[in-house]
């Protein structure tokens, strides 16, 4: 009997592993990164206690948002990927995309008359991660479509956003103060903000390589 029980346990563990793998694949991460490999010492401005608490994913259950702000190369994407991976491991549905790719996908969906289907898919995710907001200004249509996604998920699903711009410069991305205000109003109602200021990881690695 103990052997049979052990075989059942192993089968359950294997099934869970396969399910996690499927969720990670469906999330479309550009790379699989865990928070265990994030060097908090290098970016001391990051609240480590809060970040590790967020990795427990209770914020997803509460439909709260996370916004990581800071210059390029300070590990914002790594943290976003780490939170996404933790969510997959806890059985949650995750979708990762960059702001530019998401807007492109939404505009394409409008052209192909499948916008509602895509919006439904985005709303159905437990966690939507939008990386690199602020790297490129959005067209009026793109900004409005992104606003719609944020609006539809408001108090219904969590969003993690990374941006290289402080909030007062988001108007440069969305092109309208009114629209930016409406987006920030929804995103920051239930939010955890990670300030990630410091020297770029990539710049530091490059200096090390040269010395």
């Amino acid at each position: 009997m103990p052997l049979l029980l052990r075989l059942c346990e192993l089968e359950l563990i294997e099934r869970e592993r396969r399910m996690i793998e499927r969720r990670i694949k469906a999330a479309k991460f550009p790379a699989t990164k865990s928070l265990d490999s994030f060097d908090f010492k290098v970016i001391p401005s990051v609240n480590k206690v809060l970040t590790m608490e967020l990795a427990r994913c209770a914020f997803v259950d509460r439909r709260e948002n996370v916004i990581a702000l800071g210059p390029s190369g300070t590990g914002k994407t790594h943290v976003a990927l780490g939170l996404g991976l933790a969510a997959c491991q806890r059985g949650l549905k995750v979708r990762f995309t960059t702001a530019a790719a998401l807007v492109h996908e939404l505009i394409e969906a409008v052209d192909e008359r499948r916008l509602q289907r895509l919006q439904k898919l985005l709303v159905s995710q437990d966690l939507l991660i939008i990386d690199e907001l602020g790297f490129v200004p959005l067209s009026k249509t793109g900004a409005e479509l992104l606003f719609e996604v944020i609006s539809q998920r408001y108090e219904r699903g969590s969003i993690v956003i990374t941006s290289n711009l402080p909030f007062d410069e988001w108007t440069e991305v969305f092109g309208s103060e009114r629209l930016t205000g409406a987006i920030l109003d929804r995103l920051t109602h239930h939010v955890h903000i990670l300030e990630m200021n410091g020297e770029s990881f990539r710049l530091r690695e490059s200096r090390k390589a040269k010395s």
Side-chain angles (χ1 to χ4, degrees), residues 35 40 47-62 64 66 83 86 90 192 194:
L35 285 174
F40 286 93
N47 186 332
K48 183 179 179 179
V49 175
L50 172 60
T51 307
M52 298 317 286
E53 176 58 35
L54 290 171
R56 293 157 68 105
C57 298
F59 81 94
V60 181
D61 298 330
R62 295 192 298 262
E64 296 165 352
V66 176
L83 294 176
R90 278 162 179 74
H192 302 275
L194 295 173

Side-chain angles (χ1 to χ4, degrees), residues 32-176:
T32 309
K33 289 191 178 184
S34 154
L35 285 174
D36 294 339
S37 60
F38 185 82
D39 190 350
F40 286 93
K41 289 192 216 76
V42 174
I43 310 288
S45 66
V46 187
N47 186 332
K48 183 179 179 179
V49 175
L50 172 60
T51 307
M52 298 317 286
E53 176 58 35
L54 290 171
R56 293 157 68 105
C57 298
F59 81 94
V60 181
D61 298 330
R62 295 192 298 262
R63 297 171 176 85
E64 296 165 352
N65 302 321
V66 176
I67 302 177
L69 299 171
S72 292
T74 50
K76 298 182 300 297
T77 300
H78 188 150
V79 166
L81 287 167
L83 294 176
L85 180 64
C88 286
Q89 288 166 339
R90 278 162 179 74
L92 300 168
K93 284 193 291 181
V94 181
R95 176 76 185 271
F96 182 100
T97 182
T98 63
L102 178 57
V103 165
H104 178 75
E105 196 178 354
L106 289 162
I107 290 170
E108 212 170 63
V110 171
D111 294 342
E112 294 169 9
R113 298 190 178 180
R114 52 178 180 84
L115 179 64
Q116 274 186 312
R117 205 185 326 152
L118 177 58
Q119 286 174 331
K120 204 172 168 185
L121 174 74
L122 293 169
V123 170
S124 74
Q125 305 301 305
D126 297 306
L127 178 61
L128 176 65
I129 302 172
I130 305 172
D131 195 28
E132 296 181 347
L133 180 74
F135 280 80
V136 285
L138 305 174
S139 65
K140 187 176 183 291
T141 305
E144 285 167 359
L145 285 166
L146 187 54
F147 166 71
E148 222 168 302
V149 170
I150 290 165
S151 249
Q152 287 166 347
R153 288 189 63 83
Y154 176 58
E155 295 192 326
R156 286 160 73 185
S158 293
I159 300 177
V160 169
I161 286 185
T162 75
S163 179
N164 61 324
L165 296 178
F167 292 139
D168 58 5
E169 289 178 30
W170 280 27
T171 309
E172 293 171 20
V173 182
F174 295 104
S176 149

